[in-house]
Amino acid sequence: MTDSKYFTTTKKGEIFELKAELNSDKKEKKKEAVKKVIASMTVGKDVSALFPDVVNCMQTDNLELKKLVYLYLMNYAKSQPDMAIMAVNTFVKDCEDPNPLIRALAVRTMGCIRVDKITEYLCEPLRKCLKDEDPYVRKTAAVCVAKLHDINAQLVEDQGFLDTLKDLISDSNPMVVANAVAALSEIAESHPSSNLLDLNPQSINKLLTALNECTEWGQIFILDCLANYMPKDDREAQSICERVTPRLSHANSAVVLSAVKVLMKFMEMLSKDLDYYGTLLKKLAPPLVTLLSAEPELQYVALRNINLIVQKRPEILKHEMKVFFVKYNDPIYVKLEKLDIMIRLASQANIAQVLAELKEYATEVDVDFVRKAVRAIGRCAIKVEQSAERCVSTLLDLIQTKVNYVVQEAIVVIKDIFRKYPNKYESVIATLCENLDSLDEPEARAAMIWIVGEYAERIDNADELLESFLEGFHDESTQVQLQLLTAIVKLFLKKPTETQELVQQVLSLATQDSDNPDLRDRGYIYWRLLSTDPVAAKEVVLAEKPLISEETDLIEPTLLDELICYIGTLASVYHKPPSAFVEGSRGIVHKSLPPRTGSSESAESPDAAPSGAPPSEQPAVIPTQGDLLGDLLNLDLGPPVSGPPVATSSVQMGAVDLLGGGLDSLMSGTGFTAPSTVMPANLGPPPSSGLGDLFDLAGGVGTLSGSHVAPKTVWLPAMKAKGLEISGTFSRQVGAISMDLLLTNKALQVMSDFAIQFNRNSFGLAPAAPLQIHAPLAPNQTVEISLPLNTVGSVMKMDPLNNLQVAVKNNIDVFYFSTLYPLHILFVEDGKMERQMFLATWKDIPNENEAQFHIKDCPLSADAVSSKLQGSNIFTVAKRNVEGQDMLYQSLKLTNGIWVLAELRIQPGSPTFALSLKCRAPEVSQYVYQAYETILKN
């Protein structure tokens, strides 16, 4: 009968009966009882109460019973560490059992019991097993060292186990060698600085000898280890390649990819003139092709790796185009990957074949695939110049099919072909214009508008075409709006007399009726250019465009070199380095290919940068459109500051007055003055504009202040973080934001290796320095740290807005928590607005952006309120008394340049204040009100 019967009982009082059975004298009864216990444990019942009784059953010769007891032990040792010590004697005994299977079982179980108290008792048995005469026991003991190192690294180093592991690399048994390499690699990963795998030609030779005889997983470990070795010269690199090449014919695809990784890496050191180099290239193609006959999931992994290989060395597969042709029954993810590789391999020799194939794909039923196929035709045209004409005629044939999504994709790629080959294929524009009405996707509409604007002089009714797009301007996506604005300005510069009204209309729509900062900015720039210097406008807008390159989606060379070192791992499937997706990646070492033989250090290498070159800056993260932080024009560019108006002469272009006073109707006042939000050409930025602040770094820092600091609260309780308790608060002193932390170790073990990371958040808060805890944190010890923060991190709008998600790592684990920061830590010191500016901005912000709040139980006078708020960078711009009420007009500015204006009404003798807030990003108001309340009530 099968063992399923053990899982079907649900009797009450079972524990008591099991206890009796476990203590029975009959061996069979004992075995039955242990099976029942394991069954209960498997379905999730708590049978930890039987710990002593089960441990007593360890004293047996029966291997099956021993395995069951060890299984139970692994599961419950952590929750019953005091009881687990009872089992130590048995381990010691079992490690000297005549049966190697039992010795190995004891060692394996020892490694799985993660209890600190026990580990030191296990060192002696483990030492014996590492020197055991049976290879099965030695290979199990090697893995046990890695597990023990994870529990207590110091102990493993003190006991000299690492040296024993290094000795095992020279073992006579290949499986022992493979496991020793695996264990050392695992340990080296968590301690990248330690040179554990100290590889030299002698040890490499031993690894290569073991490679031929161990199991497939052993081979993968050894190959991965070889990939980290740096041969001393090209002779050694060639000899390793020769001995690794037979692995390419292995049945396991993981072994094949690991071998490919080693060869790709060492080929860097071989000279291209060598005969062997050519032979190696030929040998690499068949195994890669063979991988494509596996099941779809494996094919996908192989294709993602091949994609990297083809980018690095296209010559390997240049004759194998046919295997990448799509089969009718391939899943979509395989089809798309194959398509990508086909384009990478396209060349003059095979382009006819490729195009015929792609045209076939464009008539398939799968929409995504068809789109990608049409794009691929365009990419072929850009890549292989001789085929461009054929590609264009193929695309025109596809446009004639009138299938909506095919037409749209074709127009998008034809735009790119025009960019690559100017003045060559413009004859097809008429055909494209016929399909204007069917375009409904933003990318296709934008491409068509670009074509009309770029070739306006060749299209008789260009103005009518663009006007038809303008009718629904506000319903278009940003991409289309920006393209339409530029196209109409181009048209105006080419045909000024006929399109004056059109350009006024679009500039007015883009600047005055739009709340998209990018669109407004571009509108104002064009407006300023056209009104002051039409000749410059022509030079800027109608400038020669650089030709586009053939491969815009190639992986950047240094990243590609790093990914080649990770062939056969997840990084090669994601096309991202491990540091990008491994959470809390402990000391991931950035790998790179060896420098080419004969060449001086490659130009791409970072060390080769000129000594004076500035360090690369952090890439800026562009917030999503509509994100409150994206609105750069919220930097209070309000109505003009009082001052003499700037007259701009109306510039003549030929005999035509370019703007002909037409724009005057859009503005108040006579003659043309620049719209208020545009900075006059001969003045600096408006006094309080965000741009001015950027450049005026020396002035206007304001008074040094320390804002209100809330008392520390517990952010991460000890029970959720394996004994680590974190309390904290936020503060802002002298313009610097910091997170003040209190870390307490409530566990029984020492904590070290602390690090901290923030998730993306609304205001880009990020640690400005690593979390520095100089000494390990002993049990019951507390340490106080102030972590400096900055606001240059990645931005993502959170809900609530002031939510901050934090990850803290130590030697035990990674822990996550989230906390809310008070908004006043983001109020900057130069947040005082001038009176005129305040008045103008208050009027300029729409009334629907005003929010009303009440602050209760606050018995302070107006002066006390004003000075208390000034301490937290909320500045009083003006104060007046209206009908016995004190009115405070206040301004503050956030770190991302958003201004908030406030009116605070204080009735003397009443503890309730009325607060009105106005801001261009109204979602901030609620949090500013909370800051007011916090500051005034503390």
Side-chain angles (χ1 to χ4, degrees):
M1 185 179 172
T2 63
D3 287 343
S4 58
K5 61 179 181 187
Y6 297 111
F7 292 90
T8 51
T9 59
T10 50
K11 291 193 307 222
K12 293 274 181 281
E14 205 174 4
I15 299 279
F16 190 73
E17 285 176 26
L18 285 173
K19 205 178 183 75
E21 286 179 28
L22 286 168
N23 292 319
S24 155
D25 299 334
K26 293 183 181 153
K27 275 190 182 175
E28 272 311 307
K29 215 163 188 188
K30 257 190 189 178
K31 194 159 132 187
E32 287 292 302
V34 175
K35 281 189 176 176
K36 285 180 192 167
V37 172
I38 298 291
S40 302
M41 179 179 93
T42 312
V43 295
K45 285 186 191 166
D46 182 16
V47 283
S48 56
L50 297 169
F51 200 94
D53 307 286
V54 177
V55 171
N56 283 339
C57 300
M58 273 173 90
Q59 314 289 345
T60 173
D61 306 330
N62 184 322
L63 189 59
E64 189 184 1
L65 180 54
K66 218 177 220 1
K67 278 186 180 171
L68 291 168
V69 174
Y70 276 166
L71 200 60
Y72 175 89
L73 198 61
M74 281 188 238
N75 202 23
Y76 282 117
K78 199 154 192 181
S79 56
Q80 308 260 355
D82 300 329
M83 293 280 206
I85 291 181
M86 293 164 45
V88 169
N89 275 339
T90 317
F91 280 137
V92 176
K93 247 174 73 181
D94 281 357
C95 283
E96 292 175 4
D97 194 278
N99 182 344
L101 289 175
I102 289 184
R103 297 202 296 276
L105 182 63
V107 175
R108 182 178 292 121
T109 312
M110 272 163 33
C112 295
I113 295 182
R114 302 181 62 83
V115 177
D116 262 357
K117 289 181 184 175
I118 298 184
T119 40
E120 51 209 62
Y121 297 113
L122 305 182
C123 293
E124 267 326 296
L126 179 56
R127 185 173 286 109
K128 282 182 187 152
C129 290
L130 281 166
K131 301 224 163 53
D132 198 283
E133 77 267 5
D134 192 287
Y136 180 68
V137 180
R138 292 201 300 277
K139 85 176 181 76
T140 312
V143 176
C144 184
V145 175
K147 289 180 175 171
L148 197 59
H149 188 274
D150 198 35
I151 303 168
N152 190 338
Q154 199 54 49
L155 182 72
V156 171
E157 284 160 34
D158 297 346
Q159 295 282 346
F161 286 149
L162 294 180
D163 297 326
T164 320
L165 264 189
K166 287 181 191 169
D167 296 342
L168 286 181
I169 289 186
S170 315
D171 197 278
S172 56
N173 184 290
M175 263 326 294
V176 178
V177 177
N179 276 17
V181 168
L184 283 168
S185 306
E186 178 81 19
I187 294 169
E189 256 176 38
S190 57
H191 290 65
S193 51
S194 63
N195 192 8
L196 285 178
L197 275 163
D198 185 17
L199 299 171
N200 52 41
Q202 290 72 37
S203 55
I204 288 291
N205 198 20
K206 287 169 187 157
L207 292 182
L208 287 165
T209 310
L211 187 61
N212 298 325
E213 298 167 40
C214 55
T215 65
E216 46 201 25
W217 294 112
Q219 291 183 29
I220 293 166
F221 286 129
I222 291 176
L223 287 167
D224 287 349
C225 176
L226 286 173
N228 295 329
Y229 174 61
M230 185 66 77
K232 61 180 188 299
D233 56 24
D234 53 344
R235 296 262 308 273
E236 191 185 358
Q238 181 173 340
S239 114
I240 294 175
C241 288
E242 282 168 355
R243 294 179 68 180
V244 167
T245 312
R247 298 299 109 217
L248 291 173
S249 52
H250 199 286
N252 184 323
S253 49
V255 176
V256 174
L257 282 177
S258 292
V260 168
K261 168 168 63 185
V262 176
L263 296 172
M264 285 292 289
K265 202 167 171 184
F266 291 171
M267 274 170 85
E268 282 295 304
M269 298 186 69
L270 302 179
S271 157
K272 288 193 172 180
D273 312 330
L274 277 177
D275 293 344
Y276 180 69
Y277 181 85
T279 317
L280 197 51
L281 284 180
K282 289 195 187 107
K283 283 185 177 167
L284 274 169
L288 293 173
V289 170
T290 308
L291 289 176
L292 296 183
S293 51
E295 52 268 33
E297 293 79 8
L298 276 180
Q299 273 188 54
Y300 178 73
V301 172
L303 286 164
R304 291 294 280 176
N305 280 281
I306 289 170
N307 200 328
L308 294 175
I309 293 165
V310 165
Q311 286 185 52
K312 184 72 189 163
R313 298 193 185 284
E315 61 272 28
I316 293 178
L317 288 160
K318 66 178 178 196
H319 299 305
E320 302 291 346
M321 176 63 91
K322 280 214 164 122
V323 295
F324 299 107
F325 285 175
V326 171
K327 298 192 180 82
Y328 75 96
N329 58 351
D330 279 339
I332 181 72
Y333 54 89
V334 170
K335 285 180 174 176
L336 295 178
E337 239 3 86
K338 281 184 171 178
L339 207 50
D340 212 26
I341 295 169
M342 274 169 68
I343 299 159
R344 295 205 193 289
L345 291 175
S347 65
Q348 208 179 331
N350 56 23
I351 193 74
Q353 221 180 355
V354 173
L355 274 180
E357 193 72 15
L358 291 174
K359 193 172 179 184
E360 199 65 38
Y361 298 162
T363 56
E364 287 264 347
V365 286
D366 191 317
V367 178
D368 283 341
F369 180 53
V370 171
R371 284 172 178 278
K372 190 100 185 229
V374 176
R375 288 232 163 165
I377 295 173
R379 277 175 63 188
C380 287
I382 290 166
K383 188 172 178 191
V384 185
E385 188 167 345
Q386 294 77 3
S387 73
E389 196 148 334
R390 188 182 272 169
C391 292
V392 172
S393 64
T394 306
L395 288 168
L396 286 176
D397 291 349
L398 291 172
I399 289 176
Q400 297 308 334
T401 62
K402 300 287 185 209
V403 178
N404 187 302
Y405 53 87
V406 175
V407 172
Q408 310 215 42
E409 284 297 331
I411 286 177
V412 172
V413 295
I414 286 177
K415 180 199 79 170
D416 288 339
I417 294 174
F418 284 169
R419 289 278 315 264
K420 175 75 175 172
Y421 309 112
N423 305 323
K424 211 164 175 193
Y425 301 108
E426 281 74 14
S427 52
V428 307
I429 292 176
T431 317
L432 302 183
C433 292
E434 290 165 14
N435 294 284
L436 261 178
D437 303 335
S438 64
L439 306 181
D440 51 15
E441 287 166 22
E443 203 179 353
R445 288 174 78 85
M448 193 63 227
I449 291 167
W450 182 86
I451 292 170
V452 174
E454 189 66 17
Y455 301 103
E457 68 279 11
R458 302 173 186 230
I459 304 172
D460 300 333
N461 59 341
D463 50 345
E464 288 168 28
L465 296 177
L466 291 176
E467 204 167 350
S468 67
F469 282 106
L470 206 54
E471 286 157 14
F473 186 76
H474 287 306
D475 304 328
E476 298 284 6
S477 72
T478 311
Q479 185 183 6
V480 178
Q481 290 177 331
L482 287 166
Q483 205 51 272
L484 192 52
L485 172 61
T486 305
I488 290 177
V489 171
K490 282 180 187 170
L491 175 66
F492 174 62
L493 290 168
K494 290 173 181 178
K495 304 179 179 176
T497 41
E498 301 134 56
T499 54
Q500 209 168 318
E501 278 179 28
L502 191 59
V503 80
Q504 286 171 9
Q505 194 184 346
V506 78
L507 286 174
S508 164
L509 284 169
T511 53
Q512 308 207 327
D513 307 346
S514 167
D515 49 8
N516 179 329
D518 294 338
L519 190 60
R520 285 211 306 255
D521 274 2
R522 193 181 288 192
Y524 282 132
I525 287 168
Y526 285 154
W527 200 327
R528 158 75 38 201
L529 266 173
L530 294 173
S531 56
T532 53
D533 191 349
V535 181
K538 251 193 157 165
E539 283 173 9
V540 171
V541 181
L542 303 179
E544 274 291 299
K545 286 165 195 58
L547 298 184
I548 56 175
S549 71
E550 54 189 66
E551 294 283 3
T552 46
D553 60 341
L554 281 176
I555 293 175
E556 191 261 327
T558 44
L559 174 59
L560 180 61
D561 285 355
E562 187 178 351
L563 292 176
I564 292 287
C565 301
Y566 286 111
I567 283 178
T569 66
L570 206 51
S572 67
V573 179
Y574 286 160
H575 287 187
K576 288 179 181 173
S579 51
F581 60 86
V582 178
E583 274 295 321
S585 40
R586 288 186 296 183
I588 281 186
V589 187
H590 284 289
K591 300 183 180 179
S592 62
L593 294 178
R596 270 213 158 287
T597 321
S599 69
S600 59
E601 188 65 35
S602 71
E604 276 107 33
S605 83
D607 316 325
S611 53
S616 60
E617 294 181 13
Q618 281 297 91
V621 175
I622 300 167
T624 54
Q625 188 231 332
D627 185 327
L628 77 112
L629 303 163
D631 195 347
L632 292 176
L633 284 181
N634 278 349
L635 302 176
D636 94 294
L637 298 174
V641 185
S642 55
V646 183
T648 43
S649 59
S650 155
V651 182
Q652 297 294 321
M653 180 178 177
V656 183
D657 175 0
L658 187 70
L659 289 159
L663 290 174
D664 295 24
S665 55
L666 297 177
M667 296 165 224
S668 53
T670 54
F672 171 69
T673 47
S676 54
T677 38
V678 178
M679 295 148 197
N682 55 352
L683 289 185
S688 186
S689 86
L691 296 170
D693 296 337
L694 280 179
F695 298 109
D696 179 21
L697 294 174
V701 175
T703 52
L704 301 177
S705 68
S707 60
H708 161 73
V709 181
K712 290 189 178 77
T713 52
V714 175
W715 287 342
L716 182 66
M719 54 194 296
K720 284 193 177 172
K722 301 185 181 175
L724 174 64
E725 181 178 281
I726 300 180
S727 312
T729 184
F730 294 91
S731 62
R732 184 184 183 96
Q733 303 288 336
V734 199
I737 308 171
S738 56
M739 183 191 235
D740 303 325
L741 298 167
L742 202 64
L743 275 64
T744 308
N745 180 357
K746 296 193 172 178
L748 297 173
Q749 68 191 89
V750 174
M751 294 181 179
S752 61
D753 304 335
F754 284 91
I756 192 164
Q757 210 171 356
F758 295 177
N759 199 355
R760 294 191 297 167
N761 53 78
S762 307
F763 292 90
L765 274 177
L771 184 60
Q772 295 195 326
I773 299 174
H774 298 296
L777 197 57
N780 295 321
Q781 192 184 348
T782 296
V783 64
E784 239 182 299
I785 305 134
S786 183
L787 177 71
L789 307 182
N790 58 32
T791 51
V792 297
S794 299
V795 170
M796 181 171 78
K797 191 171 176 183
M798 301 295 284
D799 186 25
L801 206 61
N802 58 341
N803 187 16
L804 180 65
Q805 296 174 339
V806 183
V808 172
K809 171 196 109 53
N810 62 14
N811 57 332
I812 298 172
D813 206 345
V814 182
F815 309 107
Y816 304 92
F817 64 88
S818 64
T819 177
L820 301 176
Y821 49 90
L823 212 62
H824 64 257
I825 63 167
L826 302 172
F827 298 172
V828 295
E829 281 65 23
D830 60 345
K832 186 165 185 177
M833 204 181 253
E834 295 167 348
R835 284 183 175 209
Q836 294 299 109
M837 198 67 191
F838 183 93
L839 206 63
T841 310
W842 184 276
K843 285 180 187 163
D844 194 44
I845 296 175
N847 287 337
E848 58 266 24
N849 282 21
E850 188 171 344
Q852 309 279 352
F853 303 98
H854 285 94
I855 301 172
K856 296 179 177 157
D857 308 327
C858 193
L860 294 172
S861 69
D863 291 341
V865 165
S866 186
S867 70
K868 203 163 194 181
L869 292 171
Q870 180 146 353
S872 292
N873 297 336
I874 300 175
F875 299 96
T876 303
V877 176
K879 175 185 170 188
R880 58 187 185 141
N881 191 292
V882 181
E883 297 170 8
Q885 271 193 339
D886 284 326
M887 311 280 274
L888 295 181
Y889 296 97
Q890 297 176 319
S891 71
L892 63 96
K893 184 172 154 192
L894 295 168
T895 48
N896 61 354
I898 291 179
W899 284 91
V900 182
L901 310 187
E903 179 189 74
L904 192 61
R905 289 196 293 283
I906 301 173
Q907 182 76 47
S910 159
T912 302
F913 303 163
L915 175 68
S916 299
L917 295 174
K918 256 190 162 187
C919 172
R920 292 190 202 273
E923 49 269 75
V924 175
S925 301
Q926 172 67 34
Y927 303 93
V928 173
Y929 155 67
Q930 287 168 7
Y932 262 86
E933 213 168 26
T934 309
I935 297 162
L936 291 175
K937 290 190 178 179
N938 287 291

